[in-house]
């Protein structure tokens, strides 16, 4: 796999503070912010601060500290967004997964009843 990272992608610019974002949580290893085009009442993107292009890249190469930091950010978002009734976590990946931004991000979608995961 080619996991080469484009430092000009939009989330890299957000991490550098070049583009504004609505931050909901941040720690040493991850940033969580509201999606600019929300698909539900709650739609937050959780991203690692390191240069990882996808979930599989992050799982392979991120340190244990980065992975724990990311998961702790996810937990903080779930708590602060009040998605007790449930939510969906989505990591669109590369072409088949219809990934638009080439910096790993987890969509946290909820706050309302969702439909089936994939059209049948
Ligand atoms: P993907 O298709 O890569 O999984 O999703 C990328 C997501 O990033 C989309 O849901 C899109 O609305 C969101 N997005 C794209 N550009 C920006 C931006 O500049 N700011 C924020 N907050 N979200 C963005």
């Amino acid at each position: 796999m080619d996991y080469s990272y484009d430092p000009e992608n939009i989330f890299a610019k957000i991490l550098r503070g070049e583009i504004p974002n609505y931050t909901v949580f941040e720690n040493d290893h991850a940033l969580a912010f509201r999606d600019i085009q929300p698909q539900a009442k709650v739609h937050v993107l959780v991203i690692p601060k390191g240069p990882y292009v996808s979930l599989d890249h992050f799982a392979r190469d991120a340190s244990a500290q980065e992975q724990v930091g990311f998961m702790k950010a996810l937990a903080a978002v779930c708590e602060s967004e009040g998605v007790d009734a449930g939510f969906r976590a989505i990591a669109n990946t590369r072409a088949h997964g219809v990934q638009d931004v080439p910096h790993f991000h987890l969509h946290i979608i909820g706050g309302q009843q969702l439909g089936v995961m994939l059209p049948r």
Side-chain angles (χ1 to χ4, degrees), residues 34-94:
R34 299 204 185 284
D35 195 290
I36 204 167
Q37 287 189 295
Q39 304 295 313
K41 287 179 184 163
V42 171
H43 190 167
V44 173
L45 302 171
V46 186
I47 70 173
K49 291 188 173 177
Y52 302 103
V53 295
S54 59
L55 173 60
D56 50 323
H57 184 202
F58 184 72
R60 190 188 73 168
D61 288 351
S63 68
Q65 290 87 346
E66 288 176 298
Q67 297 201 19
V68 169
F70 182 87
M71 296 308 282
K72 294 295 184 188
L74 165 64
V77 168
C78 290
E79 185 164 356
S80 67
E81 294 298 309
V83 289
D84 305 30
F87 64 94
R88 187 167 290 154
I90 299 172
N92 296 322
T93 305
R94 295 191 287 283

Side-chain angles (χ1 to χ4, degrees), residues 10-11 14 19-21 33-37 43 45 92 98-101 105 107:
I10 198 128
F11 293 169
I14 284 176
I19 293 175
N21 74 90
F33 53 96
R34 299 204 185 284
D35 195 290
I36 204 167
Q37 287 189 295
H43 190 167
L45 302 171
N92 296 322
V98 197
Q99 180 178 4
D100 186 31
V101 180
H105 50 283
H107 296 256

